[in-house]
Amino acid sequence: MAVEHETGPLRGREAEAAELAGWISRSRDGRGGVLLVEGHPGAGKSRLAEEARTFAEHLAIRVLRGTGERERQSVPFSALLGTLASGGPPLPGAADLRTLSESPEHRFWLVRTVQDRLRQAALDGPLLVVIDDLQWCDAGTLLALRILPARLRSLPIRWLLAVRTGSPGADVRATLARLADAGARTMRLDRLPEDAVAEIARDLLCAEPGRDVLDLLRQAEGLPELVTGTVRGLLREGAVTRTGAVAHLTGRRSPVPSYGSAERLLGHLSPPAQDVIRLASSLGRDLEARRLADLAGRTLAEVVAALQEAVDAGLVRPTDPLTFRHDLLLGALGGTAPKTVPAAASERAVEAGRVQGWDALTPAERRVAALVATGATNRQAAERLFLSPATVGTHVMHTFRKLGVNSRVELARAYLERDAG
């Protein structure tokens, strides 16, 4: 079976799309405004922003579109200048803005110049300014967003800002609060209902999804990106077959067809948080901070901060103990834990009770255990052995399990007792 639609119709967001269309249309009456679109990673904020762009262009409304980028947060006004450079011919005098952005003392003049350029552009017709991933915008862009919409409210300029729910940055929170105080509206994207999930599957499969397909997709808990990623993964694997007008699973699928989508969701976290969550996925559903700290070779405070970041991103439930929110996410990440073939064989032997203690360790695990037991951090061990910290963390986890220890201190004691023996 083949994918008929690359994107497909917008499903489960018809009410939001209608509200968005009405809000954009009112810009032709000469009125400005701000709309904040909030949702967890993968909830469809970017897709809705694309829908807004298409609708605005249909009305001959000029669209300026940009996005915040984690890697460019330290570049002053990078998101704002990227937005102003989009949407056809650059705004009048746009080249001067780059020069102003390079000097901190020119920050006030840059904002004032952008204000003048937008005002001038709005005299030719309504504008829609779309900025995605507000949580990754640089401080200069956030400053401008706290100022410009209020100053330009009498002009037909609409600001559509998409932001991740629970964004922790102080500058982001201040910007959202300032915009809300100034009258910004907020549209929150909830998880899709089951009938919308079925419609997405129907669009991609070009067939009615069977009960087994829908049962699998239920694990995505209504998150559009996981739903589409899972269906596309099944199609790529040839794991779906059609019986009449109904599509069923063939049984040939891997347990983690949504891996690509899971990695994209994980990309919303900082690198340290990604390392912690990848390691946690190998331990099962529950996430215990102290055990993760020991396995990852990080402080408890670092692990708690990483888990809080995952909670804010909607990937982990704030329960006691913390748990992964999506079974598909857990399966996809846990299925990618690095493990060599000999290690896998050793794991099976340990589970069967045939090999125990130090004899159960693979050569790689013994090398890691020796370094960790003598005080090396995971990162130091990784550098010595030319491995990634995540791989070292996995070896430490396997070592703990095979030796029956629960901390690095216990590992060090076991290592000394082995040498003494």
Side-chain angles (χ1 to χ4, degrees), residues 20-71:
L20 188 58
W23 179 78
I24 293 172
S25 297
R26 287 192 289 276
S27 67
R28 295 186 299 178
D29 299 331
R31 292 181 290 173
V34 179
L35 179 63
L36 304 172
V37 179
E38 291 189 4
H40 289 301
K45 302 182 295 298
S46 298
R47 176 63 198 282
L48 198 62
E50 181 62 21
E51 199 79 6
R53 181 194 65 78
T54 301
F55 182 78
E57 291 178 347
H58 177 72
L59 297 179
I61 295 173
R62 183 174 181 183
V63 180
L64 302 176
R65 184 169 183 186
T67 185
E69 300 177 65
R70 186 202 300 271
E71 297 78 11

Side-chain angles (χ1 to χ4, degrees), residues 247-260:
H248 292 285
L249 301 178
T250 64
R252 292 162 45 196
R253 68 183 179 86
S254 74
V256 289
S258 59
Y259 174 65

Side-chain angles (χ1 to χ4, degrees), residues 43-282:
K45 302 182 295 298
S46 298
R47 176 63 198 282
L48 198 62
E50 181 62 21
E51 199 79 6
R53 181 194 65 78
T54 301
F55 182 78
E57 291 178 347
H58 177 72
L59 297 179
I61 295 173
R62 183 174 181 183
V63 180
L64 302 176
R65 184 169 183 186
T67 185
E69 300 177 65
R70 186 202 300 271
E71 297 78 11
R72 293 179 61 81
Q73 280 183 295
S74 61
V75 181
F77 298 96
S78 60
L80 179 65
L81 297 183
T83 302
L84 298 178
S86 68
L91 297 180
D96 300 334
L97 300 177
R98 185 70 61 183
T99 302
L100 286 174
S101 71
E102 295 171 355
S103 178
E105 60 267 22
H106 291 158
R107 186 171 63 170
F108 168 80
W109 296 108
L110 185 141
V111 174
R112 183 61 179 268
T113 303
V114 170
Q115 177 182 323
D116 292 341
R117 300 295 184 261
L118 288 173
R119 184 186 302 276
Q120 186 175 351
L123 294 177
D124 294 330
L127 296 176
L128 175 64
V129 181
V130 180
I131 299 182
D132 200 0
D133 282 335
L134 187 71
Q135 71 276 0
W136 302 133
C137 282
D138 58 276
T141 295
L142 294 173
L143 171 68
L145 292 175
R146 293 196 291 271
I147 297 172
L148 293 175
R151 289 185 179 177
L152 298 169
R153 71 178 67 186
S154 62
L155 295 170
I157 303 176
R158 297 263 155 167
W159 303 77
L160 176 62
L161 310 175
V163 63
R164 189 182 75 186
T165 298
S167 297
D171 275 356
V172 177
R173 292 198 305 269
T175 302
L176 295 175
R178 177 72 66 86
L179 292 170
D181 290 343
R185 296 169 58 182
T186 299
M187 177 186 290
R188 292 184 173 85
L189 300 186
D190 296 322
R191 300 175 190 280
L192 295 178
E194 290 191 2
D195 58 345
V197 171
E199 288 178 339
I200 292 174
R202 189 179 302 118
D203 292 335
L204 295 172
L205 295 169
C206 303
E208 193 69 29
R211 182 178 299 277
D212 51 353
V213 174
L214 294 177
D215 285 344
L216 175 64
L217 295 180
R218 196 169 289 118
Q219 297 179 43
E221 296 189 7
L223 205 61
E225 189 167 330
L226 273 180
V227 173
T228 56
T230 299
V231 175
R232 286 174 176 151
L234 292 171
L235 288 168
R236 283 193 301 270
E237 295 175 7
V240 182
T241 187
R242 184 184 300 178
T243 303
V246 181
H248 292 285
L249 301 178
T250 64
R252 292 162 45 196
R253 68 183 179 86
S254 74
V256 289
S258 59
Y259 174 65
S261 293
E263 281 294 294
R264 286 194 294 274
L265 291 180
L266 203 65
H268 289 271
L269 304 180
S270 64
Q274 291 182 36
D275 287 346
V276 169
I277 294 303
R278 281 197 180 93
L279 179 59
S281 69
S282 301

